[in-house]
Amino acid sequence: MSGTSSSSEPSRRPARGVLDTSTLILLQGLEDASSLPEEPLITAVTLAELSVGPLVARDRAERAARQARLQQAEADFDPLGFDADAARAFGRVGASLRSAGRKTTARAYDAMIAATALANDLPIHTCNPSDFVGIDELEVIPVPIPH
């Protein structure tokens, strides 16, 4: 399986899967949970990404909203760590992206989230499937963006 994978046939929901940062941010607005795993997981890398948000917000209201999102994620999830297995998987992700003509550094957070998913043999559920194009062996499940 290479890059994104999706099928026009109905499929059952995966038991477990990783929500990328975009999906976690939009989670409250999702109208249809059928593209989400029964047990949604996040990575420590997603918490790192979310931790940047309040620090770079341009105004108080946005800073408060981003801080609340971070705290909610910390309360709701026990994140998968970026461990030695994920580090080795990151090498495969980087090689896949390079072969696909993409730069790992341009989307470093996404590459690390993908590596964590691969190391744990889990699919990625994302509102931005194009972020994961070209990553060999990664199952990508598109999540419709809420309107």
Side-chain angles (χ1 to χ4, degrees):
M1 184 174 338
S2 175
T4 58
S5 68
S6 61
S7 171
S8 57
E9 300 174 19
S11 61
R12 68 175 188 82
R13 283 172 72 178
R16 301 173 78 219
V18 173
L19 307 181
D20 78 330
T21 309
S22 68
T23 304
L24 183 63
I25 288 170
L26 297 171
L27 196 57
Q28 296 299 321
L30 294 179
E31 298 165 7
D32 180 9
S34 65
S35 59
L36 298 177
E38 292 176 22
E39 181 186 353
L41 304 165
I42 66 168
T43 70
V45 177
T46 289
L47 281 184
E49 255 189 299
L50 291 176
S51 294
V52 173
L55 301 173
V56 299
R58 295 180 185 243
D59 60 54
R60 280 186 134 152
E62 185 63 24
R63 186 172 11 269
R66 290 178 180 192
Q67 184 66 37
R69 185 179 303 121
L70 169 61
Q71 290 172 324
Q72 190 66 55
E74 290 173 331
D76 290 347
F77 295 94
D78 184 19
L80 298 170
F82 190 83
D83 58 12
D85 289 336
R88 285 188 285 279
F90 184 79
R92 295 193 322 264
V93 168
S96 291
L97 289 172
R98 180 170 274 183
S99 291
R102 299 183 75 194
K103 293 183 180 180
T104 308
T105 55
R107 304 295 305 186
Y109 290 131
D110 293 332
M112 292 175 76
I113 291 168
T116 305
L118 282 171
N120 288 278
D121 197 27
L122 295 168
I124 290 273
H125 298 257
T126 179
C127 292
N128 296 322
S130 64
D131 290 347
F132 300 96
V133 167
I135 300 175
D136 295 338
E137 301 175 32
L138 180 66
E139 181 180 0
V140 176
I141 300 173
V143 175
I145 296 174
H147 301 346

